[in-house]
Amino acid sequence: DVKVTQSSRYLVKRTGEKVFLECVQDMDHENMFWYRQDPGLGLRLIYFSYDVKMKEKGDIPEGYSVSREKKERFSLILESASTNQTSMYLCASEGLAGESLEQFFGPGTRLTVL
Amino acid sequence: RKEVEQDPGPFNVPEGATVAFNCTYSNSASQSFFWYRQDCRKEPKLLMSVYSSGNEDGRFTAQLNRASQYISLLIRDSKLSDSATYLCVVNPNTDKLIFGTGTRLQVFP
C-alpha cells in the first residue's frame, strides 16, 4: 500500500511565524502536490513537483514556498504565517493505478494561525 | 463558471435507497475523470475512475456524458457506511487535477 505521511495532524502557530509542513511518500513517486481545503472552496492546488528540485506553482501559490530536496519528501513553507492561511493542508503523491494516474493523500494537517 | 461544479447536498437517503450525483465540467478538452470519496475529517481516496464507456464496481456505477459535459455516480442499495463526501475530479488535459467541492451523502437507518 502507498503510504503518504504528514509531519503533524494539528498545528497552532502565531501570525508572522515561519511554518514548515513536511510530507513523505514511500512509493518512489515522482509527482507530489500540496493542496489546501476550505469549506465551500474544495481542494485548491498550492504547488506541485515533478522531480527533485523541481517545483511548479499551482493556483494559489502566494504566501507559500516549497522544497523538494529528496524524491520522497516534499515540504510546504509558510514564510510568515497569516490568519487567512488557517486551513486543512493535504499532501498528495501521484502514481499509476491501473491505466490512469491516482493521487494518494496524506492524512492532512489542520493549521490554525492565531 | 467554475471548472467543476457539484451540488453540495446534503443528500439524505434511507438505507437501501438508490442515489445519484451529477457533476459538470467546463473544459471540453478534459480527458480523465474520477470520483474520490472523503470521510469526515479524513483524506480523499480514489473511489473509481470514469471511462467513456461507463464503468461499474459493485453497487457503484460511474458514467460520462461528453456531449453535455457531465459525469455521474450512481449508488445502489445504500449502506450506512456510504455516508461521506463524494468529490468529482477532472483532468482538463493538463498536469493538474481539478477537484469539485464535493457532494455530501448521509445515509440513515
Side-chain angles (χ1 to χ4, degrees):
Chain A
D1 272 357
V2 175
K3 193 167 183 184
V4 181
T5 57
Q6 294 183 226
S7 49
S8 306
R9 291 301 301 273
Y10 299 94
L11 209 52
V12 179
K13 295 291 181 181
R14 296 205 175 275
T15 300
E17 281 192 82
K18 191 169 185 176
V19 182
F20 292 88
L21 302 182
E22 304 283 341
C23 175
V24 178
Q25 51 96 1
D26 66 358
M27 279 301 291
D28 201 35
H29 288 164
E30 292 181 346
N31 304 344
M32 296 186 74
F33 303 78
W34 273 106
Y35 297 90
R36 62 179 283 177
Q37 186 174 30
D38 301 286
L41 297 176
L43 275 79
R44 292 181 292 166
L45 181 63
I46 305 171
Y47 266 97
F48 58 107
S49 169
Y50 288 135
D51 205 346
V52 174
K53 298 202 185 289
M54 291 185 66
K55 59 184 179 183
E56 298 283 343
K57 290 181 179 179
D59 299 317
I60 51 163
E62 296 79 19
Y64 304 94
S65 61
V66 290
S67 172
R68 186 104 182 261
E69 295 296 320
K70 294 184 178 181
K71 193 174 187 180
E72 68 270 19
R73 188 179 298 269
F74 191 33
S75 303
L76 180 69
I77 303 151
L78 287 67
E79 294 289 342
S80 177
S82 62
T83 53
N84 63 11
Q85 292 179 309
T86 291
S87 186
M88 170 66 86
Y89 289 88
L90 289 158
C91 172
S93 174
E94 186 175 73
L96 272 175
E99 297 176 356
S100 57
L101 288 173
E102 177 181 351
Q103 291 195 4
F104 300 87
F105 286 86
T109 296
R110 187 166 291 281
L111 171 67
T112 301
V113 182
L114 302 175
Chain B
R1 183 183 173 188
K2 285 184 180 178
E3 291 186 81
V4 177
E5 290 202 68
Q6 296 182 251
D7 181 340
F11 284 61
N12 296 304
V13 302
E15 276 185 289
T18 295
V19 61
F21 311 133
N22 280 346
C23 162
T24 59
Y25 61 93
S26 61
N27 188 332
S28 59
S30 299
Q31 293 297 316
S32 306
F33 309 88
F34 311 89
W35 284 102
Y36 275 68
R37 171 192 168 130
Q38 186 172 22
D39 292 304
C40 188
R41 300 187 184 279
K42 298 280 191 179
E43 71 273 21
K45 293 184 179 178
L46 179 66
L47 177 66
M48 57 199 307
S49 302
V50 186
Y51 303 121
S52 296
S53 55
N55 48 306
E56 189 173 311
D57 183 3
R59 298 182 293 108
F60 298 83
T61 300
Q63 293 202 310
L64 167 64
N65 185 318
R66 283 194 184 276
S68 300
Q69 293 183 206
Y70 75 85
I71 66 173
S72 63
L73 178 68
L74 181 79
I75 305 175
R76 288 180 298 278
D77 189 23
S78 299
K79 311 290 184 192
L80 294 176
S81 58
D82 293 335
S83 298
T85 297
Y86 291 84
L87 304 176
C88 171
V89 185
V90 175
N91 182 340
N93 213 26
T94 67
D95 302 331
K96 305 179 291 185
L97 296 179
I98 307 297
F99 286 78
T101 54
T103 296
R104 194 154 67 89
L105 171 65
Q106 184 67 50
V107 181
F108 58 89

